[in-house]
Amino acid sequence: MMLFKRIHVMHTIKNILIVSVVLLFSCNNLPKTTKLDVQVDWPEFMKKNRREIKYIPSGWKDAPYFGNAMLGSMLYVKPQKRANNPKAQESKRLRLHVSRADVHGHLPTYEYGWTAHSRNRFEIGDFDLELKGTIQSIDWTQDLWNAELKGTITTNKGAVEIRHYVHADDMIIVTDITGKGEEGNCEWKWTPAEAKSGRGGSPSNEERKAKFIQMYGDVFANVKVPPKNPRPKTKRSQGINTATQNLFGGGQFATAWKEIKYNNTRRLIVSIENTYPEAEATEKAIQNVQQFAKREKTQSDELHANWWHKYYKQSFVSIPDRTIENYYWHMIYTLGCNSRSGRVFTSTQGLWYFNNGWPYATNDWNTEAVLWPVYTANRLDLGKPLVEYLHKNTQTLINNVKPAEWREDCAFLHITTALDMIGEMDQDARYSQLYGCLPWVLSNCWLQYRYSMDESILRETVYPLLRRSLNLYSKLLVDEKGVLHLPKGYSPETGVYKDSNFDLALIKWSCHTLLEINKILEANDPLAPKWQDILNRLEEYPISKKNGYAYGKKDGKVIGPSNHRHASHLLMIYPLRLVTTEDEQKRELLEKSVDHFRNLDERLPAMVTSHAGPMAAALERGDWALKEINDLIPDLHPSGLWHPNTICLEASLGGVTTVQEMALQSWGDVIRVFPAMPDEWKDFTFHNYRGEGAFLVSATRKYGTTEFVRIKSLAGAPCKIRPGFKSDTKVYSNSAIKPKEIEIGVFELKLKKGEEAILWTGNKAPECVIKPIQN
């Protein structure tokens, strides 16, 4: 009996040893841990991407800018005429231009004109630092990591040290100055802007009124000149200055400011508030200044910096091109300035409004494209305001519909709106047949859902509004011998066509998406068969044999594309992805269409490349996509902003979207890693990029080969991934996850919520380290 026990124990020990040896051998071929080793010294990395300003900025094209998704600021030098020589100029004035994104008019549309005249944005004003001497030089650093400006202004009579930021949390703009020499006595002077529209063509006399009616429609038969708003009222009380601007259409906005001394430093604290229909802005602005002034200076500075530090760390990317990497992170900073939950969605110019001809949000490309980078960048908070405003203004979107009887089941978003989204279908005759703005912005909201898997977005916003927007299209479709046609539809910036590709793509996308949402929410919608019928019978996309996808048809002929800066006729390629390279028979058509669009308008490369770049990446043409970025960046101004005349924000951001599409794509339920890397980018690293299905993805590429891919599930959604390895794919995780190859190069992973896995290939496991590329 004892012998038997001995033999049993020896046998057990032998088995344990064998298993241990096997495990030891296996571990040598597995990553040491499922947790990545993230070796990013963030302050040092962002220091490389800061902006050094060694010149004298003279306006928005080269000024540093700041913002908190409501308040914005810019700093530049405003030249003055010499007292003894009016023809000459000298620089003795530092200008602090301030803005607030939600300040706009509230006049009745039909009485005073479309949005640009009745509901236009208003410029706020400027603080000028009146210097004693003439500015000789500027040495500034725009520190992205702390979202602040530091530096020196040198004059012929001394110098001023400056520190400036727009507080991330509080409605406060902060400027610290320390004067040296005679500049110790320089003073701030407030100059309010006139509260008026920058759009020309106001019906100021009978001749202009006739032209106004002819251009914008007979609904303005009784149009009036928008009244002048009263001059702002200034007041000083308890050490706080205020300038209150009451508006003829109701409500008010107000600026409040106060200076506080810390030894030799003077801190200018500015707040801007806006209220409608109540006239409470002044009291709110004063309270903001008072509360901020009571707080410890270091505490306020730290709260501001901490917000930005957390914001940057949401994802990381390092690019093997110093110029592009610097541009990328400057644009990530720009996004953080412009949008976040509870504040505003981004209008055409973003925060930094100067009185000009685009005093509104433009919803036929600008509103959509400015948000394309936020989803992959894992900054979903920046995409929430668009969802919030659409939800809040649902009844307004219904009221925009005409004829009135269609409001029972339809909704409509006009091309030009203020943040309140008021804009009836006939408020501008030029665009009375532009029906696609609402479904297009809803495609962004659909992405907000897909990247978060938050079903409340579908239930409360996307489903009800997309259903109504498709109902509007349904009322316009005509059955011709069993085929459904749209007789007339406006394709943005081109004209009105039958079966415009812009509309056909949005109709098809709306039907597909509604059918999918119907399944997700188990809604059993009685309209589902109708949506399927539209898909089955809708006219095919008009195609030009020579140039690919066209604008549409006129008099039975396929039209265009010709000289065109808008890719509205190519939405089926990007961002809707209704036609993709998965259908090899379509590749030639896709490449022909994108290539022709890219060469349409050489005058506006930034506007064209910002859409052509992501499309090239969608076609998995990395070298082509890189060329688009390299064409884009030189067209931007030194500030990183773009346009010949005024700010057009989405064009600046196009290269960010392109970089992301080169590194990670997730559509058709498959996550694609490094799908469009250019030949010259042998190394590339990204960490916590986000994919559809709420997955966080990290990957490193070295010497032209992917080393590893880490994927983490945040929602437990089905996971299909194409890691792009050239040989067998191996998986390591804390649970028994085995990759199942469901098609060539595409693997299915059964990840539960919170689980993650590392994918790799080869005989030796890589070190799973995320760190900046040395360039």
Side-chain angles (χ1 to χ4, degrees), residues 141-157:
T141 296
Q142 187 174 6
D143 176 6
L144 301 188
W145 176 238
N146 293 304
E148 66 178 19
L149 180 83
K150 283 185 176 180
T152 304
I153 307 159
T154 302
T155 76
N156 60 347
K157 294 188 177 181

Side-chain angles (χ1 to χ4, degrees), residues 446-510:
W446 168 254
L447 292 177
Q448 188 78 21
Y449 157 71
R450 284 293 297 149
Y451 281 77
S452 67
M453 300 304 288
D454 180 357
E455 289 187 6
S456 68
I457 296 171
L458 300 183
R459 190 176 296 106
E460 298 171 7
T461 305
V462 178
Y463 187 49
L465 284 176
L466 189 58
R467 194 176 187 273
R468 282 179 168 273
S469 69
L470 184 57
N471 284 344
L472 178 61
Y473 268 127
S474 298
K475 295 180 187 298
L476 301 168
L477 292 173
V478 174
D479 189 328
E480 297 179 10
K481 298 180 181 180
V483 178
L484 297 177
H485 296 266
L486 189 69
K488 290 182 179 181
Y490 185 87
S491 182
E493 299 212 5
T494 63
V496 177
Y497 304 94
K498 178 180 180 180
D499 296 327
S500 83
N501 272 329
F502 172 75
D503 289 307
L504 293 181
L506 287 167
I507 293 170
K508 291 181 180 183
W509 177 83
S510 298

Side-chain angles (χ1 to χ4, degrees), residues 737-754:
I737 296 172
K738 294 182 179 180
K740 179 182 178 183
E741 191 167 16
I742 55 177
E743 58 183 272
I744 297 176
V746 177
F747 298 88
E748 183 178 67
L749 299 175
K750 294 185 178 180
L751 291 171
K752 297 178 182 178
K753 182 178 179 179

Side-chain angles (χ1 to χ4, degrees), residues 362-381:
T362 311
N363 301 313
D364 69 334
W365 178 56
N366 309 62
T367 300
E368 295 86 351
V370 77
L371 289 178
W372 289 345
V374 307
Y375 310 110
T376 300
N378 191 31
R379 291 173 170 85
L380 296 188
D381 189 61

